[in-house]
Amino acid sequence: MNLKIAGIGPGSVGGITAEAEKALGEAELIVGYDLYVSLIKDMFPEKEYYTSGMRHEIERVEHAVKCAAAGKNTVLICSGDAGVYGMASLAFEIAEAYGLDSSEIEIIPGVTAALSCAAVLGSPLSCDFAVISLSDLLVPAERIKNRLICAAESGMPVVIYNPGSKKRNDYLNHACRIMLRFRPPETVCGIVKNAGRAGQRAEIMTLGRLADFRADMMTTVIIGCSDTRVIDGRMVTPRGYSSKYDLGAEGRNTEKDVYGRGRVLVFGGTSEGRIIASRISEKGYETWLSVATDYGKETAEVHLNGVKIISGKMPETEIEYLMRSRRFSCVIDATHPYAVHISKSIKTAAENTDTKLVTVKREVERGPSDESIMFFDTITDIIDYLNSTDGRVFFATGSNAAEEYSRLRNLSDRAAVRILPSADAVVRMKDAGFSSRNIICMQGPFSYEMNLACFRFSGAEYLVTKSSGETGGFDEKISAAEKLGMKVLVAAPPLQEDGISVDDVINMASEGRL
Ligand code: SAH
């Protein structure tokens, strides 16, 4: 059977897909409803057409099926998509009734009204949505009503096809009354008439107003959900990118100042970060704290009341987006001094968004001490230190330091190493004296959880690491080590830090200068 069934989109020439246009160009016979045929006739004036009016669908489709079965290259057209309240399913049923083989019927998709109308309005269907037709010509009214109730209750935006006609001019109003049982009257709604055709008209209104609106059969209605809002006259249901960081904060894109103070964003799961966040929050700033790991979040939550905590590593673009959409009066970088990559991102994002940046200078303890973290100039210095202890060691310093490692006392019994999965590196570690069971070959980046698993497996008391440099992953290592009560030994050149002290930051907060 030489039958193609094509949706021609909303009605504009540009809205027809290339595939549908090709099928029409090749067709001997084009069958369709008068109005839709008139929309494409100018494009293919030479073709043979068969048209009929509303309510003649069966006759029209029968004609198309019969001509196609007789070998004529036939295209049956529908507006929008042929499978959405269209003729495609009817063609299969008719072919079946005539005992014809429908396996060769080709369906060519088109842009359905829900999508073309959504595009006219803005982006109201960004996530889940429901589609319901109010036409009760083929569907019992009771079923339509039940589906409206289910859709209303689901909280999804609802697209309404066939919202009314001359005879059924109050169907939309009934539908709105059902929606109003579940959604407030201020819910954002949109109507689009003649999308992509002459006389296109769109309007955004509340659900309360829509309940009195008279829609005709050339109109599609979109009822928004609780997230749907108006941005510059367009109807938008956010995907959730900005509320990802919302955490209940009221007010969007405003410099909120409920306490007469601003909103401050602190970066750093360090103890300095936590102290600063808690103190400035006490001083009346709306305080946000960004930490890299879940562990950082857990720790911060124990200590901080009323501070909004964002956990997870944010790429620079996301940091900038957060600053742009929340407007912080000040951003404080209290990240670890060796986490240089994140500091660079914070600085760039602050510059690009014109946000004031305060960098905290951490008092870095160097040399042996009782702290959980100790700094050394070189790995050799760390090995010297370790040779005065007996604890198990985990080296996260790569395979280049083979020579240094080999100087560790009882290396094969007490040390594990994590290296990249290269055969050459494994050989070097074995030559250095590691036993096979203590060589972990793995490609980073390593999450907090993965570090936890590795460190636990090694049973190590000491973690040896380098300052992170560009590659990052420093916080993930430090948090996992902290969680397991390990001592971290960092090989890092002495650091010349810019920035001000924690006390200075707190003073600035007291004086309202953040
Ligand atoms: N197959 C079509 C739908 C046919 S049902 C499709 O996929 O789009 C007819 C209903 O579709 C109309 O009552 C109206 O609600 C909607 N509709 C179709 N074309 C439209 C257009 N250009 N503008 C607005 N609504 C349209």
Side-chain angles (χ1 to χ4, degrees):
M1 190 181 327
N2 202 348
L3 181 61
K4 295 191 178 78
I5 308 176
I8 59 163
S12 63
V13 173
I16 300 179
T17 66
E19 203 185 346
E21 193 175 330
K22 180 164 174 275
L24 290 168
E26 290 166 359
E28 291 172 86
L29 170 66
I30 297 174
V31 179
Y33 171 51
D34 304 325
L35 172 70
Y36 305 146
V37 166
S38 71
L39 292 170
I40 59 154
K41 224 168 183 169
D42 285 350
M43 289 173 77
F44 307 100
E46 307 299 316
K47 300 283 174 188
E48 178 188 344
Y49 285 95
Y50 180 89
T51 65
S52 61
M54 285 255 282
R55 307 230 175 174
H56 292 277
E57 288 85 7
I58 296 182
E59 173 237 310
R60 196 157 70 225
V61 177
E62 257 183 22
H63 185 79
V65 169
K66 282 180 186 165
C67 291
K72 207 171 212 174
N73 184 339
T74 306
V75 178
L76 172 64
I77 60 164
C78 290
S79 76
D81 181 85
V84 180
Y85 311 118
M87 296 292 107
S89 56
L90 180 59
F92 283 106
E93 289 177 303
I94 287 176
E96 184 184 44
Y98 280 92
L100 296 167
D101 176 14
S102 58
S103 62
E104 282 174 6
I105 296 179
E106 196 183 319
I107 308 292
I108 300 171
V111 181
T112 189
L115 306 187
S116 53
C117 295
V120 172
L121 291 167
S123 183
L125 307 179
S126 323
C127 306
D128 305 332
F129 63 95
V131 176
I132 293 181
S133 163
L134 298 191
S135 170
D136 56 1
L137 292 175
L138 303 172
V139 181
E142 197 58 24
R143 191 195 290 174
I144 298 173
K145 192 177 149 197
N146 284 337
R147 290 194 176 168
L148 278 168
I149 292 171
C150 292
E153 204 174 6
S154 75
M156 291 187 262
V158 180
V159 184
I160 294 185
Y161 282 64
N162 296 301
S165 67
K166 282 196 192 95
K167 277 196 205 130
R168 309 175 290 120
N169 65 8
D170 58 351
Y171 279 30
L172 178 63
N173 317 113
H174 287 304
C176 288
R177 277 199 282 282
I178 292 176
M179 300 300 297
L180 279 165
R181 287 196 231 149
F182 300 91
R183 300 185 191 189
E186 56 275 12
T187 303
V188 178
C189 298
I191 57 124
V192 181
K193 181 172 173 168
N194 285 322
R197 296 179 194 158
Q200 173 178 306
R201 180 184 153 214
E203 203 180 320
I204 293 174
M205 61 182 84
T206 62
L207 179 56
R209 256 198 67 210
L210 186 68
D212 294 323
F213 185 81
R214 296 275 158 191
D216 63 17
M217 55 182 289
M218 290 303 156
T219 302
T220 296
V221 173
I222 301 183
I223 296 170
C225 61
S226 58
D227 292 333
T228 308
R229 59 195 182 94
V230 180
I231 300 179
D232 285 338
R234 311 297 296 280
M235 179 177 179
V236 179
T237 304
R239 270 293 299 283
Y241 288 109
S242 71
S243 51
K244 187 171 164 194
Y245 303 117
D246 199 326
L247 301 158
E250 322 87 56
R252 277 190 181 89
N253 229 10
T254 53
E255 213 153 316
K256 199 180 128 234
D257 212 12
V258 283
Y259 312 99
R261 293 269 157 98
R263 176 187 290 152
V264 176
L265 173 61
V266 183
F267 283 90
T270 56
S271 53
E272 281 85 348
R274 290 195 290 267
I275 292 167
I276 289 172
S278 100
R279 298 298 301 277
I280 64 179
S281 167
E282 281 164 23
K283 305 220 179 283
Y285 286 91
E286 181 188 310
T287 309
W288 296 50
L289 175 65
S290 166
V291 300
T293 63
D294 287 345
Y295 175 70
K297 184 176 182 198
E298 280 166 33
T299 322
E301 272 168 353
V302 173
H303 295 282
L304 302 174
N305 261 334
V307 173
K308 297 169 202 301
I309 298 160
I310 306 171
S311 80
K313 236 184 188 145
M314 282 189 276
E316 187 173 308
T317 43
E318 252 180 71
I319 294 178
E320 186 169 326
Y321 178 65
L322 177 61
M323 290 187 195
R324 222 175 265 294
S325 56
R326 293 292 153 203
R327 297 254 175 90
F328 295 93
S329 56
C330 178
V331 171
I332 298 175
D333 177 3
T335 57
H336 200 280
Y338 288 104
V340 284
H341 189 60
I342 176 77
S343 288
K344 238 187 245 164
S345 300
I346 296 167
K347 187 159 181 255
T348 310
E351 275 167 12
N352 290 349
T353 56
D354 245 338
T355 311
K356 176 171 165 182
L357 172 67
V358 169
T359 303
V360 179
K361 182 180 183 140
R362 293 196 60 198
E363 308 299 334
V364 180
E365 278 284 336
R366 295 188 52 88
S369 77
D370 288 337
E371 295 295 317
S372 59
I373 187 162
M374 291 166 56
F375 297 90
F376 300 83
D377 283 351
T378 62
I379 296 177
T380 306
D381 296 336
I382 294 179
I383 301 290
D384 288 342
Y385 170 78
L386 285 169
N387 277 336
S388 66
T389 72
D390 289 322
R392 296 183 63 80
V393 184
F394 189 99
F395 288 106
T397 21
S399 60
N400 287 336
E403 226 181 288
E404 288 94 323
Y405 299 152
S406 65
R407 288 187 39 245
L408 184 73
R409 262 193 316 114
N410 295 336
L411 176 74
S412 66
D413 290 335
R414 68 184 283 218
V417 67
R418 187 166 68 189
I419 53 171
L420 286 172
S422 98
D424 176 50
V426 174
V427 170
R428 269 186 285 141
M429 291 306 104
K430 291 186 106 164
D431 288 350
F434 286 97
S435 73
S436 300
R437 75 191 136 85
N438 290 331
I439 302 174
I440 301 175
C441 293
M442 217 184 250
Q443 173 100 44
F446 301 104
S447 64
Y448 162 70
E449 285 80 11
M450 182 56 85
N451 285 329
L452 261 189
C454 290
F455 301 167
R456 254 197 204 120
F457 161 80
S458 72
E461 200 178 306
Y462 296 98
L463 168 68
V464 180
T465 180
K466 283 192 275 199
S467 61
S468 69
E470 283 298 299
T471 51
F474 193 70
D475 281 348
E476 284 81 352
K477 283 190 230 168
I478 302 290
S479 325
E482 195 178 322
K483 171 85 179 175
L484 297 175
M486 294 166 78
K487 196 160 193 165
V488 185
L489 311 178
V490 186
L495 204 66
Q496 279 304 316
E497 262 205 296
D498 292 333
I500 63 172
S501 70
V502 172
D503 285 345
D504 287 344
V505 176
I506 294 166
N507 285 339
M508 283 176 80
S510 308
E511 292 159 16
R513 289 192 289 123
L514 288 181

